[in-house]
Structures are given as structure tokens and as C-alpha cells.
Amino acid sequence: MTDLLLHTAEELHKLSRTGRRAVVMTMGALHEGHATLIRTAREQAGPEGQVVVTVFVNPLQFGAGEDLDRYPRTLDADVAIAEGAGADAVFAPAVDEVYPGGDPQVRISAGPMGERLEGATRPGHFDGMLTVVAKLLHLTRPDLALFGQKDAQQLALIRRMVTDLNFPVEVVGVPTVREEDGLALSSRNRYLSAAERHTALALSRALFAGRDRLAAQAALRARAEASPASDERATALARLGEIRASADAHAVSAAGAGLPDAVRAAALHVLDEAGRHEPPLVLDYLALVDPLDFTETGQDFTGQAVLAVAAKVGSTRLIDNIPLEFGAHS
């Protein structure tokens, strides 16, 4: 096994370091999404810095009936990918190295944000995630830690923990990496049959449909601001027989109203169709949320939001999300 591979905290602490240390935390089964995180860490740490990749399948993150035993473990391949992407070390501890006293009695609580969306579906998941992230931050002692935006709620909770508990680390979010057909890269994608993978494409298509609806509504609103259109004008056009112009005027007049609901509706239309596929997509949730606390956005929401989706295809549960920007109402 390569000299990059470390198994104990003692080995890790003996690792000489110069410049900034960047850490990328993974549960193994590395793919191009992880490689992108590692390459970004390499760029941010700089030539004098150091990149450490952790590989640890955290039992605290798996609830009853979830796929802890089934989760892929491919350490040799993981080390090769990490090295190729620019890592200086791979820290792959055993469970008793991370939890030397056995199942930890003291854990990090994710609080109310950890009970929403993923937390509602997977009770305790985020407590386990934050506990191991806190442990690995102590063990690796990085200057910056990089996480994928695909796990948007996880990223938001880690940022909140680092702020609330005064961890001396910079948290960097890295955009989601997708396959050419739009499917977000995930270690769980390997479980999908060809037919299931075809159905799973509905997750990204739904998100893009919501994004496109927002862009179309925003374009109409821009037209409304440039040349205001009123319901009175639309009615007058209808009386003159200008039906198409009348409909357009109504659309422009209403462009600023109901944007969050319009985005949700566009995405749900795609997901509803996928529910009739064979095999079907079984929706867990679709949510348009404020990234600061993952509460649902209201109709007057402005600023950055996250459109998030989770669903099962066959026995495989997948998640995805995209960021959206809602402008101020005129």
C-alpha cells in the first residue's frame, strides 16, 4: 500500500506540514465528484500546502435498515484516485480509532435544522454526521475543509457548527459534479440498474425545470418593469380581438407573483411523470428552502434559495439540489 495511507491518529499527527492544510472528508467509494473536491483543495492549499483526504464509513450516520453493510468499500481504488487528484495523505482509520471508547455518549446535536428534510426522513443522521466531522476536524487539524454542495443541508449544518462552536477552520463549498446526462455523481449510483438510472434522471430534470421556470418568470418581470402592463391594458386588448397580446400582457402583469410556487410546480410536474415510469420514482420530498436554516420559502422570498429533492428508485435513495436566486419584487 502506498505511503500516502495512514490508519492512526498518531501517524497523522507525525505527518510534517508546511503551509495550509486542506481536508476533504469522504466515506470512500470515491468518484469524479470527490476528485473534483480534492483538486479544488489542492488549488486552495497551494503548492506549499497539504491535502489530507479522510476515508471513514461512519456508523453513526446510518439508521435502522439503512445500507451500512452494503455501503461500498474500495480503499485501494480510493487511494489511487486521491493520489491522482493531488492528495498528500489518505487517513483511513478503523472505527475504534475514531470512537476509542465505543459508541460515543457525547454527541453533537444538529438542532432544529437537523430535523428538517433529510433529518425528518433519517432521524439522528445529522447528529452522527456532525459528531464525526467534529472528531475529524480535531484529528486532522486543517486550515480549510471542503465539502460538496450536493449535500446542501449537510454543508449548511457544518457551517453552522463551525460558527457556533468556534472551530478555527474555513469551510468551502464546491459545486455539484454531474454526469453528461445531468445525474449528480454519487457513490450510490452504482446500485442503479439501467432502467432505474433512466428513471433517476428525473431528479435533475425536475430541478432544471424549476430553474427554467424561474428564469422565464424573471424575464417576464424584467419586461414588466421596462414597460408596465396592467390588467386594464390586457382587457382592452382582448376587446380589440388581440387575444395573444392580451394573454401576454396578463402574463407580464403577473410575472412577479407566486414565483416560489411556480418553481415548485414546474419541478413537481417532472417528478409526477417519473412516478409513472417503470420502475417508478418514489418521491420523498421536494422543497424550496432558505439555505440558512432550511425552512420553506414564502411567496415574498428574495435572495438565494435551494431547490432540493430526495427520492427512491428501486431500493436506492438519491438526493440532489440546485441553488436559485430570487430577485427583489418590484
PDB file of all heavy atoms in Angstrom, residues 28-65:
ATOM      1  N   GLY A  28     -15.456   7.138   1.386  1.00  0.00           N
ATOM      2  CA  GLY A  28     -14.904   6.194   0.431  1.00  0.00           C
ATOM      3  C   GLY A  28     -15.747   6.068  -0.816  1.00  0.00           C
ATOM      4  O   GLY A  28     -16.599   6.915  -1.097  1.00  0.00           O
ATOM      5  N   ALA A  29     -15.489   4.998  -1.586  1.00  0.00           N
ATOM      6  CA  ALA A  29     -16.149   4.793  -2.884  1.00  0.00           C
ATOM      7  C   ALA A  29     -15.992   6.052  -3.728  1.00  0.00           C
ATOM      8  O   ALA A  29     -16.958   6.573  -4.289  1.00  0.00           O
ATOM      9  CB  ALA A  29     -17.611   4.419  -2.708  1.00  0.00           C
ATOM     10  N   LEU A  30     -14.769   6.550  -3.819  1.00  0.00           N
ATOM     11  CA  LEU A  30     -14.502   7.830  -4.474  1.00  0.00           C
ATOM     12  C   LEU A  30     -14.827   7.793  -5.961  1.00  0.00           C
ATOM     13  O   LEU A  30     -14.649   6.764  -6.625  1.00  0.00           O
ATOM     14  CB  LEU A  30     -13.029   8.217  -4.282  1.00  0.00           C
ATOM     15  CG  LEU A  30     -12.713   9.097  -3.060  1.00  0.00           C
ATOM     16  CD1 LEU A  30     -13.184   8.436  -1.765  1.00  0.00           C
ATOM     17  CD2 LEU A  30     -11.226   9.407  -2.990  1.00  0.00           C
ATOM     18  N   HIS A  31     -15.323   8.931  -6.471  1.00  0.00           N
ATOM     19  CA  HIS A  31     -15.635   9.102  -7.880  1.00  0.00           C
ATOM     20  C   HIS A  31     -15.182  10.492  -8.311  1.00  0.00           C
ATOM     21  O   HIS A  31     -14.480  11.185  -7.542  1.00  0.00           O
ATOM     22  CB  HIS A  31     -17.126   8.882  -8.138  1.00  0.00           C
ATOM     23  CG  HIS A  31     -18.022   9.655  -7.217  1.00  0.00           C
ATOM     24  ND1 HIS A  31     -18.067  11.036  -7.184  1.00  0.00           N
ATOM     25  CD2 HIS A  31     -18.918   9.233  -6.271  1.00  0.00           C
ATOM     26  CE1 HIS A  31     -18.948  11.441  -6.285  1.00  0.00           C
ATOM     27  NE2 HIS A  31     -19.471  10.371  -5.711  1.00  0.00           N
ATOM     28  N   GLU A  32     -15.567  10.903  -9.508  1.00  0.00           N
ATOM     29  CA  GLU A  32     -15.086  12.167 -10.048  1.00  0.00           C
ATOM     30  C   GLU A  32     -15.520  13.358  -9.192  1.00  0.00           C
ATOM     31  O   GLU A  32     -14.819  14.369  -9.130  1.00  0.00           O
ATOM     32  CB  GLU A  32     -15.574  12.336 -11.491  1.00  0.00           C
ATOM     33  CG  GLU A  32     -15.150  13.640 -12.166  1.00  0.00           C
ATOM     34  CD  GLU A  32     -13.638  13.849 -12.184  1.00  0.00           C
ATOM     35  OE1 GLU A  32     -12.873  12.854 -12.176  1.00  0.00           O
ATOM     36  OE2 GLU A  32     -13.212  15.030 -12.208  1.00  0.00           O
ATOM     37  N   GLY A  33     -16.672  13.248  -8.526  1.00  0.00           N
ATOM     38  CA  GLY A  33     -17.087  14.322  -7.633  1.00  0.00           C
ATOM     39  C   GLY A  33     -16.092  14.524  -6.507  1.00  0.00           C
ATOM     40  O   GLY A  33     -15.715  15.659  -6.178  1.00  0.00           O
ATOM     41  N   HIS A  34     -15.639  13.423  -5.900  1.00  0.00           N
ATOM     42  CA  HIS A  34     -14.619  13.519  -4.856  1.00  0.00           C
ATOM     43  C   HIS A  34     -13.298  14.042  -5.431  1.00  0.00           C
ATOM     44  O   HIS A  34     -12.614  14.853  -4.796  1.00  0.00           O
ATOM     45  CB  HIS A  34     -14.379  12.148  -4.229  1.00  0.00           C
ATOM     46  CG  HIS A  34     -15.569  11.572  -3.528  1.00  0.00           C
ATOM     47  ND1 HIS A  34     -16.281  10.513  -4.028  1.00  0.00           N
ATOM     48  CD2 HIS A  34     -16.177  11.912  -2.364  1.00  0.00           C
ATOM     49  CE1 HIS A  34     -17.261  10.208  -3.197  1.00  0.00           C
ATOM     50  NE2 HIS A  34     -17.233  11.049  -2.189  1.00  0.00           N
ATOM     51  N   ALA A  35     -12.952  13.553  -6.624  1.00  0.00           N
ATOM     52  CA  ALA A  35     -11.700  14.007  -7.246  1.00  0.00           C
ATOM     53  C   ALA A  35     -11.729  15.513  -7.477  1.00  0.00           C
ATOM     54  O   ALA A  35     -10.711  16.200  -7.303  1.00  0.00           O
ATOM     55  CB  ALA A  35     -11.473  13.267  -8.565  1.00  0.00           C
ATOM     56  N   THR A  36     -12.895  16.047  -7.835  1.00  0.00           N
ATOM     57  CA  THR A  36     -13.023  17.494  -8.010  1.00  0.00           C
ATOM     58  C   THR A  36     -12.801  18.219  -6.688  1.00  0.00           C
ATOM     59  O   THR A  36     -12.133  19.265  -6.641  1.00  0.00           O
ATOM     60  CB  THR A  36     -14.414  17.840  -8.576  1.00  0.00           C
ATOM     61  OG1 THR A  36     -14.542  17.242  -9.866  1.00  0.00           O
ATOM     62  CG2 THR A  36     -14.597  19.341  -8.708  1.00  0.00           C
ATOM     63  N   LEU A  37     -13.349  17.681  -5.612  1.00  0.00           N
ATOM     64  CA  LEU A  37     -13.116  18.260  -4.289  1.00  0.00           C
ATOM     65  C   LEU A  37     -11.628  18.269  -3.955  1.00  0.00           C
ATOM     66  O   LEU A  37     -11.089  19.268  -3.439  1.00  0.00           O
ATOM     67  CB  LEU A  37     -13.862  17.456  -3.221  1.00  0.00           C
ATOM     68  CG  LEU A  37     -15.361  17.676  -3.075  1.00  0.00           C
ATOM     69  CD1 LEU A  37     -15.973  16.598  -2.185  1.00  0.00           C
ATOM     70  CD2 LEU A  37     -15.651  19.047  -2.492  1.00  0.00           C
ATOM     71  N   ILE A  38     -10.950  17.166  -4.236  1.00  0.00           N
ATOM     72  CA  ILE A  38      -9.520  17.055  -3.911  1.00  0.00           C
ATOM     73  C   ILE A  38      -8.698  18.010  -4.761  1.00  0.00           C
ATOM     74  O   ILE A  38      -7.776  18.684  -4.265  1.00  0.00           O
ATOM     75  CB  ILE A  38      -9.047  15.599  -4.078  1.00  0.00           C
ATOM     76  CG1 ILE A  38      -9.797  14.679  -3.118  1.00  0.00           C
ATOM     77  CG2 ILE A  38      -7.541  15.495  -3.841  1.00  0.00           C
ATOM     78  CD1 ILE A  38      -9.678  13.197  -3.430  1.00  0.00           C
ATOM     79  N   ARG A  39      -9.019  18.119  -6.047  1.00  0.00           N
ATOM     80  CA  ARG A  39      -8.295  19.058  -6.909  1.00  0.00           C
ATOM     81  C   ARG A  39      -8.512  20.499  -6.446  1.00  0.00           C
ATOM     82  O   ARG A  39      -7.575  21.314  -6.458  1.00  0.00           O
ATOM     83  CB  ARG A  39      -8.727  18.884  -8.361  1.00  0.00           C
ATOM     84  CG  ARG A  39      -8.200  17.618  -9.022  1.00  0.00           C
ATOM     85  CD  ARG A  39      -8.398  17.655 -10.534  1.00  0.00           C
ATOM     86  NE  ARG A  39      -9.807  17.565 -10.881  1.00  0.00           N
ATOM     87  CZ  ARG A  39     -10.447  16.420 -11.146  1.00  0.00           C
ATOM     88  NH1 ARG A  39      -9.800  15.258 -11.075  1.00  0.00           N
ATOM     89  NH2 ARG A  39     -11.726  16.421 -11.478  1.00  0.00           N
ATOM     90  N   THR A  40      -9.741  20.813  -6.028  1.00  0.00           N
ATOM     91  CA  THR A  40     -10.017  22.152  -5.519  1.00  0.00           C
ATOM     92  C   THR A  40      -9.242  22.403  -4.236  1.00  0.00           C
ATOM     93  O   THR A  40      -8.699  23.505  -4.017  1.00  0.00           O
ATOM     94  CB  THR A  40     -11.523  22.336  -5.272  1.00  0.00           C
ATOM     95  OG1 THR A  40     -12.238  22.041  -6.471  1.00  0.00           O
ATOM     96  CG2 THR A  40     -11.839  23.757  -4.834  1.00  0.00           C
ATOM     97  N   ALA A  41      -9.170  21.397  -3.378  1.00  0.00           N
ATOM     98  CA  ALA A  41      -8.379  21.514  -2.149  1.00  0.00           C
ATOM     99  C   ALA A  41      -6.906  21.762  -2.469  1.00  0.00           C
ATOM    100  O   ALA A  41      -6.238  22.586  -1.818  1.00  0.00           O
ATOM    101  CB  ALA A  41      -8.531  20.254  -1.307  1.00  0.00           C
ATOM    102  N   ARG A  42      -6.426  21.054  -3.495  1.00  0.00           N
ATOM    103  CA  ARG A  42      -5.025  21.242  -3.903  1.00  0.00           C
ATOM    104  C   ARG A  42      -4.770  22.685  -4.354  1.00  0.00           C
ATOM    105  O   ARG A  42      -3.761  23.301  -3.996  1.00  0.00           O
ATOM    106  CB  ARG A  42      -4.715  20.274  -5.039  1.00  0.00           C
ATOM    107  CG  ARG A  42      -3.332  20.310  -5.632  1.00  0.00           C
ATOM    108  CD  ARG A  42      -2.316  19.614  -4.747  1.00  0.00           C
ATOM    109  NE  ARG A  42      -1.780  20.472  -3.721  1.00  0.00           N
ATOM    110  CZ  ARG A  42      -1.192  20.038  -2.608  1.00  0.00           C
ATOM    111  NH1 ARG A  42      -1.120  18.740  -2.351  1.00  0.00           N
ATOM    112  NH2 ARG A  42      -0.713  20.875  -1.723  1.00  0.00           N
ATOM    113  N   GLU A  43      -5.700  23.215  -5.132  1.00  0.00           N
ATOM    114  CA  GLU A  43      -5.564  24.595  -5.603  1.00  0.00           C
ATOM    115  C   GLU A  43      -5.603  25.582  -4.440  1.00  0.00           C
ATOM    116  O   GLU A  43      -4.814  26.539  -4.395  1.00  0.00           O
ATOM    117  CB  GLU A  43      -6.694  24.926  -6.588  1.00  0.00           C
ATOM    118  CG  GLU A  43      -6.611  24.158  -7.908  1.00  0.00           C
ATOM    119  CD  GLU A  43      -7.882  24.310  -8.727  1.00  0.00           C
ATOM    120  OE1 GLU A  43      -8.786  25.077  -8.306  1.00  0.00           O
ATOM    121  OE2 GLU A  43      -7.988  23.659  -9.792  1.00  0.00           O
ATOM    122  N   GLN A  44      -6.503  25.349  -3.493  1.00  0.00           N
ATOM    123  CA  GLN A  44      -6.665  26.291  -2.394  1.00  0.00           C
ATOM    124  C   GLN A  44      -5.528  26.203  -1.388  1.00  0.00           C
ATOM    125  O   GLN A  44      -5.138  27.209  -0.793  1.00  0.00           O
ATOM    126  CB  GLN A  44      -8.016  26.071  -1.708  1.00  0.00           C
ATOM    127  CG  GLN A  44      -9.194  26.299  -2.634  1.00  0.00           C
ATOM    128  CD  GLN A  44     -10.281  27.150  -2.012  1.00  0.00           C
ATOM    129  OE1 GLN A  44     -10.217  27.539  -0.862  1.00  0.00           O
ATOM    130  NE2 GLN A  44     -11.288  27.465  -2.804  1.00  0.00           N
ATOM    131  N   ALA A  45      -5.012  25.017  -1.192  1.00  0.00           N
ATOM    132  CA  ALA A  45      -3.888  24.865  -0.265  1.00  0.00           C
ATOM    133  C   ALA A  45      -2.597  25.433  -0.857  1.00  0.00           C
ATOM    134  O   ALA A  45      -1.716  25.880  -0.121  1.00  0.00           O
ATOM    135  CB  ALA A  45      -3.703  23.395   0.100  1.00  0.00           C
ATOM    136  N   GLY A  46      -2.494  25.396  -2.183  1.00  0.00           N
ATOM    137  CA  GLY A  46      -1.305  25.915  -2.846  1.00  0.00           C
ATOM    138  C   GLY A  46      -0.181  24.903  -2.869  1.00  0.00           C
ATOM    139  O   GLY A  46      -0.227  23.862  -2.189  1.00  0.00           O
ATOM    140  N   PRO A  47       0.861  25.182  -3.627  1.00  0.00           N
ATOM    141  CA  PRO A  47       1.966  24.221  -3.780  1.00  0.00           C
ATOM    142  C   PRO A  47       2.708  23.927  -2.479  1.00  0.00           C
ATOM    143  O   PRO A  47       3.290  22.854  -2.318  1.00  0.00           O
ATOM    144  CB  PRO A  47       2.888  24.897  -4.811  1.00  0.00           C
ATOM    145  CG  PRO A  47       2.525  26.352  -4.768  1.00  0.00           C
ATOM    146  CD  PRO A  47       1.063  26.395  -4.443  1.00  0.00           C
ATOM    147  N   GLU A  48       2.674  24.868  -1.549  1.00  0.00           N
ATOM    148  CA  GLU A  48       3.369  24.652  -0.273  1.00  0.00           C
ATOM    149  C   GLU A  48       2.461  24.018   0.770  1.00  0.00           C
ATOM    150  O   GLU A  48       2.921  23.666   1.859  1.00  0.00           O
ATOM    151  CB  GLU A  48       3.900  25.994   0.272  1.00  0.00           C
ATOM    152  CG  GLU A  48       4.853  26.719  -0.660  1.00  0.00           C
ATOM    153  CD  GLU A  48       6.064  25.867  -0.995  1.00  0.00           C
ATOM    154  OE1 GLU A  48       6.593  25.194  -0.082  1.00  0.00           O
ATOM    155  OE2 GLU A  48       6.479  25.859  -2.170  1.00  0.00           O
ATOM    156  N   GLY A  49       1.184  23.924   0.455  1.00  0.00           N
ATOM    157  CA  GLY A  49       0.235  23.393   1.419  1.00  0.00           C
ATOM    158  C   GLY A  49       0.135  21.885   1.363  1.00  0.00           C
ATOM    159  O   GLY A  49       0.899  21.198   0.680  1.00  0.00           O
ATOM    160  N   GLN A  50      -0.861  21.351   2.078  1.00  0.00           N
ATOM    161  CA  GLN A  50      -1.022  19.905   2.216  1.00  0.00           C
ATOM    162  C   GLN A  50      -2.498  19.541   2.122  1.00  0.00           C
ATOM    163  O   GLN A  50      -3.345  20.240   2.677  1.00  0.00           O
ATOM    164  CB  GLN A  50      -0.465  19.462   3.569  1.00  0.00           C
ATOM    165  CG  GLN A  50      -0.424  17.975   3.800  1.00  0.00           C
ATOM    166  CD  GLN A  50       0.176  17.653   5.161  1.00  0.00           C
ATOM    167  OE1 GLN A  50      -0.481  17.832   6.181  1.00  0.00           O
ATOM    168  NE2 GLN A  50       1.429  17.212   5.173  1.00  0.00           N
ATOM    169  N   VAL A  51      -2.779  18.465   1.405  1.00  0.00           N
ATOM    170  CA  VAL A  51      -4.159  17.988   1.251  1.00  0.00           C
ATOM    171  C   VAL A  51      -4.281  16.609   1.893  1.00  0.00           C
ATOM    172  O   VAL A  51      -3.553  15.682   1.530  1.00  0.00           O
ATOM    173  CB  VAL A  51      -4.565  17.918  -0.233  1.00  0.00           C
ATOM    174  CG1 VAL A  51      -5.956  17.307  -0.383  1.00  0.00           C
ATOM    175  CG2 VAL A  51      -4.525  19.307  -0.866  1.00  0.00           C
ATOM    176  N   VAL A  52      -5.208  16.498   2.837  1.00  0.00           N
ATOM    177  CA  VAL A  52      -5.485  15.227   3.507  1.00  0.00           C
ATOM    178  C   VAL A  52      -6.908  14.800   3.153  1.00  0.00           C
ATOM    179  O   VAL A  52      -7.853  15.586   3.305  1.00  0.00           O
ATOM    180  CB  VAL A  52      -5.337  15.352   5.034  1.00  0.00           C
ATOM    181  CG1 VAL A  52      -5.752  14.039   5.719  1.00  0.00           C
ATOM    182  CG2 VAL A  52      -3.907  15.726   5.410  1.00  0.00           C
ATOM    183  N   VAL A  53      -7.066  13.577   2.677  1.00  0.00           N
ATOM    184  CA  VAL A  53      -8.380  13.003   2.394  1.00  0.00           C
ATOM    185  C   VAL A  53      -8.688  11.973   3.468  1.00  0.00           C
ATOM    186  O   VAL A  53      -7.858  11.106   3.760  1.00  0.00           O
ATOM    187  CB  VAL A  53      -8.399  12.333   1.002  1.00  0.00           C
ATOM    188  CG1 VAL A  53      -9.737  11.631   0.762  1.00  0.00           C
ATOM    189  CG2 VAL A  53      -8.126  13.362  -0.090  1.00  0.00           C
ATOM    190  N   THR A  54      -9.850  12.077   4.095  1.00  0.00           N
ATOM    191  CA  THR A  54     -10.251  11.062   5.058  1.00  0.00           C
ATOM    192  C   THR A  54     -11.221  10.088   4.399  1.00  0.00           C
ATOM    193  O   THR A  54     -12.073  10.485   3.608  1.00  0.00           O
ATOM    194  CB  THR A  54     -10.910  11.673   6.312  1.00  0.00           C
ATOM    195  OG1 THR A  54     -12.173  12.235   5.970  1.00  0.00           O
ATOM    196  CG2 THR A  54     -10.026  12.769   6.907  1.00  0.00           C
ATOM    197  N   VAL A  55     -11.075   8.825   4.715  1.00  0.00           N
ATOM    198  CA  VAL A  55     -11.966   7.767   4.239  1.00  0.00           C
ATOM    199  C   VAL A  55     -12.468   7.022   5.467  1.00  0.00           C
ATOM    200  O   VAL A  55     -11.704   6.298   6.120  1.00  0.00           O
ATOM    201  CB  VAL A  55     -11.245   6.802   3.283  1.00  0.00           C
ATOM    202  CG1 VAL A  55     -12.172   5.648   2.894  1.00  0.00           C
ATOM    203  CG2 VAL A  55     -10.753   7.529   2.036  1.00  0.00           C
ATOM    204  N   PHE A  56     -13.730   7.248   5.806  1.00  0.00           N
ATOM    205  CA  PHE A  56     -14.287   6.615   7.007  1.00  0.00           C
ATOM    206  C   PHE A  56     -15.786   6.450   6.832  1.00  0.00           C
ATOM    207  O   PHE A  56     -16.510   7.430   6.640  1.00  0.00           O
ATOM    208  CB  PHE A  56     -13.996   7.469   8.247  1.00  0.00           C
ATOM    209  CG  PHE A  56     -14.530   6.877   9.522  1.00  0.00           C
ATOM    210  CD1 PHE A  56     -14.032   5.675  10.025  1.00  0.00           C
ATOM    211  CD2 PHE A  56     -15.541   7.515  10.231  1.00  0.00           C
ATOM    212  CE1 PHE A  56     -14.529   5.126  11.197  1.00  0.00           C
ATOM    213  CE2 PHE A  56     -16.048   6.974  11.404  1.00  0.00           C
ATOM    214  CZ  PHE A  56     -15.539   5.775  11.894  1.00  0.00           C
ATOM    215  N   VAL A  57     -16.252   5.198   6.863  1.00  0.00           N
ATOM    216  CA  VAL A  57     -17.681   4.908   6.795  1.00  0.00           C
ATOM    217  C   VAL A  57     -18.212   5.012   8.225  1.00  0.00           C
ATOM    218  O   VAL A  57     -17.997   4.118   9.042  1.00  0.00           O
ATOM    219  CB  VAL A  57     -17.953   3.519   6.187  1.00  0.00           C
ATOM    220  CG1 VAL A  57     -19.460   3.271   6.107  1.00  0.00           C
ATOM    221  CG2 VAL A  57     -17.333   3.412   4.805  1.00  0.00           C
ATOM    222  N   ASN A  58     -18.888   6.108   8.494  1.00  0.00           N
ATOM    223  CA  ASN A  58     -19.291   6.460   9.864  1.00  0.00           C
ATOM    224  C   ASN A  58     -20.576   5.741  10.266  1.00  0.00           C
ATOM    225  O   ASN A  58     -21.652   6.046   9.733  1.00  0.00           O
ATOM    226  CB  ASN A  58     -19.496   7.980   9.936  1.00  0.00           C
ATOM    227  CG  ASN A  58     -19.960   8.432  11.300  1.00  0.00           C
ATOM    228  OD1 ASN A  58     -19.631   7.825  12.310  1.00  0.00           O
ATOM    229  ND2 ASN A  58     -20.725   9.510  11.323  1.00  0.00           N
ATOM    230  N   PRO A  59     -20.497   4.814  11.208  1.00  0.00           N
ATOM    231  CA  PRO A  59     -21.718   4.063  11.565  1.00  0.00           C
ATOM    232  C   PRO A  59     -22.801   4.939  12.198  1.00  0.00           C
ATOM    233  O   PRO A  59     -23.985   4.581  12.138  1.00  0.00           O
ATOM    234  CB  PRO A  59     -21.203   3.016  12.569  1.00  0.00           C
ATOM    235  CG  PRO A  59     -19.894   3.552  13.069  1.00  0.00           C
ATOM    236  CD  PRO A  59     -19.311   4.333  11.945  1.00  0.00           C
ATOM    237  N   LEU A  60     -22.438   6.072  12.761  1.00  0.00           N
ATOM    238  CA  LEU A  60     -23.436   6.924  13.408  1.00  0.00           C
ATOM    239  C   LEU A  60     -24.387   7.565  12.402  1.00  0.00           C
ATOM    240  O   LEU A  60     -25.450   8.060  12.783  1.00  0.00           O
ATOM    241  CB  LEU A  60     -22.755   8.041  14.212  1.00  0.00           C
ATOM    242  CG  LEU A  60     -21.823   7.655  15.357  1.00  0.00           C
ATOM    243  CD1 LEU A  60     -21.467   8.892  16.168  1.00  0.00           C
ATOM    244  CD2 LEU A  60     -22.426   6.580  16.246  1.00  0.00           C
ATOM    245  N   GLN A  61     -24.014   7.587  11.116  1.00  0.00           N
ATOM    246  CA  GLN A  61     -24.849   8.225  10.106  1.00  0.00           C
ATOM    247  C   GLN A  61     -25.882   7.286   9.492  1.00  0.00           C
ATOM    248  O   GLN A  61     -26.695   7.716   8.669  1.00  0.00           O
ATOM    249  CB  GLN A  61     -23.975   8.802   8.985  1.00  0.00           C
ATOM    250  CG  GLN A  61     -23.178  10.014   9.411  1.00  0.00           C
ATOM    251  CD  GLN A  61     -22.230  10.503   8.334  1.00  0.00           C
ATOM    252  OE1 GLN A  61     -21.029  10.631   8.550  1.00  0.00           O
ATOM    253  NE2 GLN A  61     -22.755  10.794   7.159  1.00  0.00           N
ATOM    254  N   PHE A  62     -25.848   6.023   9.879  1.00  0.00           N
ATOM    255  CA  PHE A  62     -26.751   5.039   9.283  1.00  0.00           C
ATOM    256  C   PHE A  62     -27.799   4.628  10.304  1.00  0.00           C
ATOM    257  O   PHE A  62     -27.479   4.174  11.411  1.00  0.00           O
ATOM    258  CB  PHE A  62     -25.971   3.798   8.826  1.00  0.00           C
ATOM    259  CG  PHE A  62     -25.062   4.065   7.664  1.00  0.00           C
ATOM    260  CD1 PHE A  62     -23.817   4.639   7.862  1.00  0.00           C
ATOM    261  CD2 PHE A  62     -25.452   3.748   6.365  1.00  0.00           C
ATOM    262  CE1 PHE A  62     -22.972   4.895   6.795  1.00  0.00           C
ATOM    263  CE2 PHE A  62     -24.608   3.995   5.290  1.00  0.00           C
ATOM    264  CZ  PHE A  62     -23.369   4.577   5.505  1.00  0.00           C
ATOM    265  N   GLY A  63     -29.050   4.783   9.925  1.00  0.00           N
ATOM    266  CA  GLY A  63     -30.148   4.384  10.792  1.00  0.00           C
ATOM    267  C   GLY A  63     -30.529   2.930  10.574  1.00  0.00           C
ATOM    268  O   GLY A  63     -29.938   2.210   9.751  1.00  0.00           O
ATOM    269  N   ALA A  64     -31.535   2.481  11.315  1.00  0.00           N
ATOM    270  CA  ALA A  64     -32.017   1.102  11.184  1.00  0.00           C
ATOM    271  C   ALA A  64     -32.510   0.854   9.764  1.00  0.00           C
ATOM    272  O   ALA A  64     -33.258   1.654   9.206  1.00  0.00           O
ATOM    273  CB  ALA A  64     -33.140   0.854  12.179  1.00  0.00           C
ATOM    274  N   GLY A  65     -32.049  -0.243   9.168  1.00  0.00           N
ATOM    275  CA  GLY A  65     -32.488  -0.604   7.827  1.00  0.00           C
ATOM    276  C   GLY A  65     -31.735   0.102   6.716  1.00  0.00           C
ATOM    277  O   GLY A  65     -32.013  -0.141   5.538  1.00  0.00           O
TER     278      GLY A  65
END
